[in-house]
Amino acid sequence: MSVLRAEGIAKSFRVHRSEWHRVLSWFLPNQRFRHEKQILHDIDFQVNAGEAVGIVGQNGAGKSTLLKILAGTMQPTGGKVHVDGRVAALLELGMGFNPDMTGRANALNTAGLMGFSREQAEAALPGIEDFAEIGDYFDQPIRIYSSGMQVRLAFSVATAFRPEILIVDEALSVGDAYFQHKSFDRIRQFRAAGTTLLLVSHDRAAIVSLCDRAILIDKGTIRMDGHPESVLDLYNAIVAEKEGYTVRQTIGEDGRARTTSGTGEAAIDKVVLLDETGAETDILKVGARVTLQVDTSLLADIPGFVVGYMIKDRLGQPVFGTNTYHLGKPLKELEAGEKLSLRFTFDVNFGEGSYSVAVALHEGDTHLGRNYCWQDLALTFSVVNTDKSRFVGISWAPPELELVR
């Protein structure tokens, strides 16, 4: 059952060519001194009860505008939003706070605006103060707060009462690492209790660990709505996209979208894992020695050629990545028609589970400079534990134990 639906949401703003034109428009309303700037176009999606949805996109794509419309702090130019339940929104830093009032007074005032009685707000104050951890500043004016203190207080107030729907913009990125961990722990607790979450973040780990699906907003429209890892792969390809680049997606046998991007000056022909006997495999033992072989073809003359790979866990979070540039072995002055096979040999010091490998052919230290070919989900493999002591986690780092009395 959906608790939030966006139907044909559109948003545009009137933009004046100059401040002088703005003044003239007051006296000559029939004259055209402005134009409409379209921010969102025909946005349609729904979020089910208890679902967590990440919203990603480049700066200026319309993400924050969409969240303000969903939270009810901004009206759309067209379309409708249907919300079933109480919404708590953490959008712009300190939005709604009075800078001349203390943190305590602002907390009471904000709780009142959220629909809670004076008694409920006062009962929640000790918890707000404890969670924010800003000490004596809780009774000082907001205007002397740092940005980190403001986000601590804003998050503490917004989550003092568990909402049916929680909307969080990039504000948490301002906080320190300790408070970010603390905040995400509270979000996970809310999720376990049934809260629906909408999260805008550039933090890949946050999206893949917290969200059931993700929506990519590109130039004011929905470019993709699906599995977080597939959406983020496409997003990364769009970020690196330049003139002459192509971005395409194919659906694999497992139903997941695989993203390939680049100029096409080089191609990835084959990616395989080889065990210690040289046989192809996709099931590996913890600690086993393995070789990742990447076969490539050059379709144009290339002055600088780098091959890299990234291993990700089942959620799409990076586990380990490197390339020939960082290994000190870049290739120079290669000619069209050449075929190269590169072998990376390493120990599988990973925990049990499923993993994927992304491969990139590019120039320089990263694919963001000149990307010849980037392929996500180039292969998948599983790690099993058959001969090691039991452990948990994604890394196998066995300790030496010494008992001292």
Side-chain angles (χ1 to χ4, degrees):
M1 177 181 139
S2 67
V3 294
L4 188 152
R5 295 196 315 277
E7 298 179 352
I9 297 299
K11 183 63 180 178
S12 61
F13 293 99
R14 293 177 177 178
V15 180
H16 292 84
R17 298 180 180 87
S18 68
E19 286 302 315
W20 176 239
H21 282 155
R22 183 189 299 275
V23 173
L24 285 175
S25 68
W26 300 342
F27 302 100
L28 300 170
N30 295 326
Q31 299 298 314
R32 297 192 62 175
F33 295 107
R34 61 178 181 261
H35 65 278
E36 297 287 327
K37 184 175 181 180
Q38 196 75 24
I39 304 299
L40 297 174
H41 315 259
D42 197 26
I43 299 290
D44 278 294
F45 69 93
Q46 68 177 29
V47 181
N48 294 324
E51 192 175 21
V53 177
I55 299 178
V56 299
Q58 300 186 70
N59 291 334
K63 307 184 301 298
S64 295
T65 300
L66 176 61
L67 286 197
K68 290 175 184 177
I69 292 172
L70 298 177
T73 61
M74 180 182 290
Q75 292 301 310
T77 307
K80 296 180 180 179
V81 175
H82 302 272
V83 178
D84 182 14
R86 188 177 69 82
V87 177
L90 186 62
L91 302 176
E92 294 178 3
L93 186 62
M95 184 175 67
F97 284 166
N98 185 328
D100 294 320
M101 291 169 58
T102 66
R104 185 182 302 276
N106 270 290
L108 283 171
N109 186 53
T110 302
L113 293 173
M114 291 165 63
F116 296 99
S117 67
R118 179 79 180 188
E119 292 75 19
Q120 290 174 312
E122 288 180 343
L125 274 180
I128 293 172
E129 184 176 5
D130 289 343
F131 193 88
E133 293 188 55
I134 56 176
D136 294 338
Y137 282 96
F138 194 56
D139 290 303
Q140 298 295 323
I142 291 285
R143 66 173 180 272
I144 68 171
Y145 282 24
S146 67
S147 59
M149 291 166 62
Q150 288 187 50
V151 80
R152 280 172 173 253
L153 180 61
F155 185 85
S156 301
V157 174
T159 61
F161 308 88
R162 186 182 74 82
E164 282 79 26
I165 303 169
L166 177 62
I167 298 177
V168 183
D169 203 346
E170 289 284 3
L172 283 179
S173 63
V174 178
D176 56 81
Y178 163 76
F179 193 74
Q180 286 180 26
H181 281 277
K182 187 176 180 179
S183 300
F184 282 121
D185 282 343
R186 173 165 281 190
I187 290 173
R188 289 187 180 93
Q189 292 170 10
F190 282 178
R191 281 222 61 206
T195 291
T196 301
L197 173 67
L198 267 76
L199 173 67
V200 165
S201 178
H202 285 101
D203 183 350
R204 182 185 182 104
I207 295 292
V208 299
S209 64
L210 287 172
C211 299
D212 304 304
R213 66 184 236 252
I215 296 173
L216 173 58
I217 305 293
D218 184 36
K219 299 175 183 176
T221 62
I222 294 179
R223 178 78 175 263
M224 183 180 181
D225 182 346
H227 188 279
E229 185 179 359
S230 298
V231 172
L232 287 165
D233 288 343
L234 178 59
Y235 170 56
N236 289 336
I238 290 173
V239 170
E241 189 176 3
K242 297 180 176 65
E243 186 177 353
Y245 281 33
T246 60
V247 177
R248 68 180 187 277
Q249 284 193 315
T250 56
I251 305 300
E253 295 179 358
D254 57 0
R256 296 170 69 181
R258 288 166 168 78
T259 302
T260 303
S261 63
T263 64
E265 294 169 273
I268 299 168
D269 298 329
K270 188 177 182 181
V271 182
V272 295
L273 284 171
L274 307 175
D275 63 19
E276 292 182 278
T277 69
E280 292 186 21
T281 183
D282 59 3
I283 300 178
L284 308 169
K285 294 194 299 183
V286 175
R289 193 77 170 165
V290 69
T291 296
L292 173 68
Q293 179 172 312
V294 181
D295 296 336
T296 68
S297 297
L298 277 65
L299 306 177
D301 294 344
I302 293 178
F305 189 63
V306 173
V307 179
Y309 67 92
M310 174 67 76
I311 298 174
K312 305 175 187 177
D313 67 12
R314 65 180 182 83
L315 296 175
Q317 299 186 72
V319 174
F320 180 82
T322 190
N323 60 43
T324 54
Y325 180 94
H326 294 302
L327 294 172
K329 296 182 179 180
L331 300 164
K332 303 286 187 180
E333 303 303 331
L334 302 179
E335 297 180 353
E338 289 192 59
K339 291 184 176 293
L340 301 174
S341 182
L342 293 94
R343 294 187 172 188
F344 303 86
T345 301
F346 55 91
D347 295 324
V348 185
N349 293 331
F350 307 147
E352 289 186 287
S354 61
Y355 297 85
S356 66
V357 180
V359 176
L361 314 179
H362 56 86
E363 182 180 44
D365 61 339
T366 75
H367 74 290
L368 295 176
R370 187 170 183 81
N371 169 30
Y372 305 129
C373 184
W374 170 286
Q375 189 175 102
D376 286 296
L377 293 171
L379 66 80
T380 59
F381 65 93
S382 298
V383 176
V384 296
N385 186 6
T386 60
D387 55 3
K388 303 292 188 294
S389 59
R390 187 172 180 273
F391 68 97
V392 296
I394 62 170
S395 297
W396 182 57
E400 292 185 4
L401 175 63
E402 181 182 359
L403 178 61
V404 179
R405 288 183 172 173

